[in-house]
Amino acid sequence: MVSIFPSYLAPLREALLGRAISRGLLELTVHDLRAWTHDVHQAVDDSPYGGGPGMVMRPQVWGDALDDVLAGPPARLVVPTPAGRPFTQALAREFSAEERLVFACGRYEGIDQRVLDDAARRVTVDEVSIGDYVLVGGEVAVLAIVEAVVRLLPGVLGNPRSAAEDSFSDGLLEGPAYTRPEVWRGLAVPDVLRSGNHALIDRWRRDRSLERTHRRRPDLLEALPADALDRADRAL
Ligand SMILES: Nc1ncccc1[N+](=O)[O-]
């Protein structure tokens, strides 16, 4: 990763991801973009051509940084930006199969477009968005993207089934989950989940998942492939 706030990415070395790194399941290197500046002020941005508010990150600094960081084994350049294509679970899976990912964290009003155009001459460049809102920079998006990708790497999650049964893995939202005690503040766990009848439990979970998706994300239902819903689903 390349950022002007490397410490923003420190959480990646905590907990699950930190353990995956210490277990050698992945390597993580954070570079300070300012290492590629040469002026005393270590300037990384300048005012935009054509005027307008804010600052644009300068091509020379990013160009030199990416020349160095992209050197070596083939990598895919991921640039978080609100103007990017949506980052989805499917893209997380695609990224998790890559040998190496390089993340360019932009600040201010983004990075001079020529940096991405120049990089695209050498590597695949993915401008991706984690949501329709504007953060101050790409670092928080990189934290989210890396967590979504790394948890899919073999051996990272204790139980590989949980990645397979994620929300979105079957195109639907995950339904409600419960654990002990059976009754808590007068609220009981649905009986079916204690029935031991796994066919019934699977059906109940599928129904809750379909209901929730219908209520909260009808767009996901629209996007399902035709054969994704069976007769029982349609009966719901
Ligand atoms: N939403 C965003 N805002 C700023 C930078 C990056 C962003 N994103 O979604 O990747």
Side-chain angles (χ1 to χ4, degrees), residues 79-84 87 106-108 127-142 145:
V79 186
T81 164
F87 178 68
R107 311 288 299 181
Y108 314 111
E127 293 183 69
V128 297
S129 165
I130 62 164
D132 294 339
Y133 39 78
V134 182
L135 301 167
V136 175
E139 284 79 4
V140 165
V142 167
I145 293 167

Side-chain angles (χ1 to χ4, degrees), residues 105-161:
C105 297
R107 311 288 299 181
Y108 314 111
E109 266 54 42
I111 302 171
D112 185 300
Q113 185 59 41
R114 290 167 294 181
V115 173
L116 308 186
D117 297 345
D118 172 59
R121 294 169 176 161
R122 293 166 280 171
V123 298
T124 304
V125 179
D126 294 277
E127 293 183 69
V128 297
S129 165
I130 62 164
D132 294 339
Y133 39 78
V134 182
L135 301 167
V136 175
E139 284 79 4
V140 165
V142 167
L143 292 175
I145 293 167
V146 169
E147 184 165 312
V149 172
V150 169
R151 67 184 289 279
L152 296 175
L153 297 178
V156 171
L157 286 184
N159 177 348
R161 258 187 48 156

Side-chain angles (χ1 to χ4, degrees), residues 192 194-202:
V192 64
R194 294 186 296 109
S195 69
N197 178 330
H198 289 281
L200 217 54
I201 289 169
D202 289 347

Side-chain angles (χ1 to χ4, degrees), residues 28-111:
L28 185 69
T29 312
V30 180
H31 301 276
D32 184 340
L33 179 68
R34 294 194 197 275
W36 284 275
T37 58
H38 306 293
D39 60 310
V40 66
H41 299 294
Q42 297 195 307
V44 293
D45 64 300
D46 200 340
S47 47
Y49 273 115
M55 303 289 269
V56 176
M57 299 190 95
R58 300 168 60 210
Q60 306 93 322
V61 182
W62 270 108
D64 292 350
L66 291 179
D67 286 351
D68 290 352
V69 176
L70 287 174
R76 195 160 170 173
L77 179 62
V78 181
V79 186
T81 164
R85 68 183 169 124
F87 178 68
T88 60
Q89 189 67 15
L91 193 49
R93 287 202 180 286
E94 201 180 308
F95 284 174
S96 68
E98 292 292 333
E99 184 59 34
R100 193 159 76 105
L101 298 172
V102 171
F103 292 89
C105 297
R107 311 288 299 181
Y108 314 111
E109 266 54 42
I111 302 171

Side-chain angles (χ1 to χ4, degrees), residues 170-235:
D170 61 359
L172 300 174
L173 300 183
E174 217 157 83
Y178 302 87
T179 185
R180 283 184 284 273
E182 260 178 57
V183 182
W184 176 73
R185 294 189 181 177
L187 300 168
V189 171
D191 290 338
V192 64
L193 296 180
R194 294 186 296 109
S195 69
N197 178 330
H198 289 281
L200 217 54
I201 289 169
D202 289 347
R203 183 68 255 163
W204 183 87
R205 283 178 165 160
R206 176 81 174 173
D207 288 349
R208 297 297 75 70
S209 173
L210 285 161
E211 266 170 11
R212 178 174 280 186
T213 308
H214 180 74
R215 212 174 35 253
R216 296 181 183 172
R217 291 291 306 278
D219 57 302
L220 291 179
L221 281 182
E222 295 303 312
L224 282 177
D227 60 351
L229 298 182
D230 63 28
R231 282 167 47 82
D233 294 337
R234 295 180 194 289

